[in-house]
Amino acid sequence: RNNGLQNQSVLLVAESLEAEPRVLLDPNALSPDGTVALSGYSISEDGNWMAYGLSTAGSDWQEWRVRGVRTGRDEADLLKLVKFSGASWTKDGKGFFYSRYDEPKAGQAKKGANYFQKLFFHRLGTAQSEDVLVYERPDEKEWGFGGHVTDDGRYLIISVWKGTDRRNRVFYKDLQAPGAKVVELLNDFDAHYSLVDNDGPLFWFTTDLDAPRGRVIAIDITQPVRAQWREVIPQAAETLKGVNLLNDQFVCTYLKDARSEVKIFSRDGKFLRAVELPGIGSAGGFGGRRRETETFYSFTSFNVPGTIYRHDMATGRSAVFREPKVAFNPADYETRQVFFASKDGTRIPMFVSHKRGLRLDGRNPTQLYGYGGFNSSLTPAFSVSMLAWMERGGVYAMPNLRGGGEYGEDWHQAGTKLKKQNVF
């Protein structure tokens, strides 16, 4: 939560959905000059512990600590040399997996290259020197590792990355089998794979393999050969941005012409319904566990401040859970989407927002903003400064250039390297 004047948002916790929240961590109080930021956090299954990372002065280097959620006090645990890593707790809450680098050589702490990242397990209440090395690749200095424990607690999923390439590898380790080795499940570095969930040995992944806009596949790790892979949700005309499994159903978030659409599918891939969103905007969230029947999502647009909705998976109804107080009437403004042809004829979408009823005769002051790069999608978002601009008669126009992720990997590649002119 942010009161509008804070440099960094404050992390709150509540005992129930109806209870008054209390402060769990205020990053603004961590340093006199406000240069220490919360870089990530992970909550244990029982809700007792929060592992959290801190970054100083914008550095990628992080220190991770452990705070009692119910006590609000930090434990003695302190992890250093953490970079490009989150944390994932074991189901029993006794520790978590994270990745770090070795101690830099003298004089190289802030300027030397970082190679040979390693995946470790930290047991709660122990020194970092006692952490257990889970996986390393001394033959691959540029590989990095992200460890994630599945919701059933059975497997450690290791996503192997290299630089900024979207393609990755996926390995796993059976946490219930003593002495189990890491299994190289997806090791061809041919596409992007992200685990959605698992049902025992059946793993569901989103991937752009043979599907630049994304699809969902199922892999039985007891029969992992490609011939046995099964497509569950095929590639659509829209770009698949995220999938969660809730109420034993797939909740899929898509981008349709850079605006959010959310669709619900059965476990066998049958389309069930669409989630009705408040309008043209950006939706995100839909987290939770496979058996849960409710979830939360955020929605924002050029004339809608970020609002959190509570969604009932059984009835399909959404209700406002939290919304900010901003002194304006959203109905006084409107957003529409237009399309135009680029120099080579490619159809480009553009959002146009302004005061309702404004005559668009070419005489209104207009701010045009575009960005295409790094597979990053520009979607509708709220801005108080932009609201003030529109309040005074200004028009805001935002085209979606190639180089972004609005239409999948092909759209991304169409704004890179020798095709970079499509972005400028």
Side-chain angles (χ1 to χ4, degrees):
R1 176 183 291 176
N2 197 304
N3 63 18
L5 299 176
Q6 292 165 299
N7 289 323
Q8 301 178 44
S9 297
V10 180
L11 192 62
L12 307 179
V13 63
E15 301 304 318
S16 69
L17 294 179
E18 295 77 25
E20 185 66 24
R22 57 179 170 83
V23 174
L24 178 59
L25 181 66
D26 182 1
N28 301 285
L30 296 178
S31 62
D33 58 0
T35 59
V36 176
L38 178 67
S39 57
Y41 65 91
S42 177
I43 308 296
S44 62
E45 173 86 5
D46 57 14
N48 285 328
W49 305 107
M50 176 178 72
Y52 67 97
L54 299 178
S55 169
T56 301
S59 174
D60 286 330
W61 289 108
Q62 305 169 25
E63 289 187 355
W64 279 74
R65 300 176 183 270
V66 176
R67 176 164 294 195
V69 174
R70 291 174 171 80
T71 66
R73 295 192 300 268
D74 281 348
E75 299 297 301
D77 304 66
L78 175 61
L79 309 181
K80 297 184 177 182
L81 302 170
V82 182
K83 192 174 188 180
F84 310 136
S85 175
S88 185
W89 290 87
T90 54
K91 199 167 180 69
D92 59 12
K94 292 183 178 180
F96 55 86
F97 297 91
Y98 74 102
S99 300
R100 67 175 172 88
Y101 291 92
D102 291 334
E103 183 86 36
K105 294 179 180 179
Q108 297 294 308
K110 300 295 183 182
K111 57 186 179 181
N114 304 124
Y115 295 122
F116 301 110
Q117 192 185 49
K118 300 174 182 178
L119 180 63
F120 285 88
F121 174 72
H122 173 75
R123 184 169 292 276
L124 187 63
T126 64
Q128 187 176 20
S129 59
E130 299 178 37
D131 290 354
V132 177
L133 177 63
V134 178
Y135 194 70
E136 66 173 334
R137 285 298 291 266
D139 58 327
E140 295 288 352
K141 70 177 185 178
E142 296 184 15
W143 284 17
F145 310 105
H148 168 72
V149 179
T150 55
D151 281 351
D152 62 5
R154 176 68 185 269
Y155 300 101
L156 172 67
I157 306 298
I158 304 173
S159 179
V160 184
W161 51 268
K162 182 179 180 180
T164 60
D165 201 318
R166 274 183 53 80
R167 294 175 298 175
N168 64 323
R169 295 170 169 85
V170 178
F171 305 158
Y172 72 88
K173 178 181 173 69
D174 189 339
L175 297 177
Q176 295 183 8
K181 296 185 180 301
V182 171
V183 177
E184 298 177 350
L185 177 64
L186 302 170
N187 198 26
D188 292 323
F189 200 60
D190 56 350
H192 176 75
Y193 300 89
S194 179
L195 182 76
V196 177
D197 207 334
N198 71 295
D199 186 7
L202 183 65
F203 287 14
W204 292 288
F205 289 94
T206 60
T207 183
D208 56 11
L209 178 70
D210 301 325
R213 293 185 301 279
R215 59 179 178 141
V216 178
I217 62 173
I219 301 175
D220 187 335
I221 61 173
T222 65
Q223 305 176 57
V225 295
R226 291 193 178 222
Q228 298 296 324
W229 294 8
R230 180 170 56 87
E231 183 175 77
V232 181
I233 301 175
Q235 176 178 246
E238 303 80 19
T239 302
L240 183 63
K241 302 301 289 186
V243 181
N244 285 312
L245 196 59
L246 289 162
N247 195 35
D248 227 19
Q249 299 168 337
F250 290 106
V251 181
C252 299
T253 303
Y254 290 93
L255 273 188
K256 178 180 174 58
D257 299 325
R259 52 195 281 190
S260 291
E261 281 192 351
V262 182
K263 300 178 181 180
I264 311 295
F265 296 86
S266 65
R267 272 185 51 179
D268 60 4
K270 179 183 177 182
F271 173 74
L272 299 177
R273 63 181 176 87
V275 175
E276 185 177 348
L277 298 176
I280 295 176
S282 306
F286 299 97
R289 302 289 171 84
R290 185 171 144 204
R291 302 296 183 187
E292 292 174 350
T293 58
E294 72 170 5
T295 186
F296 297 82
Y297 67 91
S298 63
F299 181 84
T300 185
S301 189
F302 298 108
N303 65 331
V304 179
T307 302
I308 299 175
Y309 287 83
R310 185 178 181 181
H311 184 74
D312 189 318
M313 289 290 297
T315 65
R317 297 193 185 97
S318 297
V320 173
F321 179 67
R322 293 281 189 276
E323 61 181 339
K325 304 267 192 305
V326 184
F328 84 109
N329 181 9
D332 291 344
Y333 303 86
E334 61 180 311
T335 295
R336 61 194 179 96
Q337 193 173 37
V338 299
F339 296 85
F340 62 90
S342 187
K343 183 178 180 180
D344 62 358
T346 300
R347 185 173 182 257
I348 307 293
M350 179 169 66
F351 296 104
V352 181
S353 300
H354 51 80
K355 251 187 173 180
R356 188 172 297 279
L358 186 71
R359 184 181 177 188
L360 299 181
D361 57 5
R363 298 183 179 184
N364 305 294
T366 300
Q367 179 171 330
L368 176 70
Y369 176 76
Y371 179 85
F374 298 98
N375 201 41
S376 179
S377 302
L378 284 189
T379 62
F382 184 76
S383 163
V384 170
S385 59
M386 196 51 58
L387 175 65
W389 171 256
M390 293 190 293
E391 188 177 52
R392 296 179 63 82
V395 176
Y396 181 60
M398 189 178 79
N400 296 99
L401 309 180
R402 280 167 285 183
E406 290 87 349
Y407 292 102
E409 186 59 17
D410 289 346
W411 193 259
H412 170 214
Q413 293 299 329
T416 64
K417 299 178 181 178
L418 297 180
K419 300 174 183 176
K420 196 69 178 176
Q421 189 63 38
N422 290 330
V423 176
F424 296 136

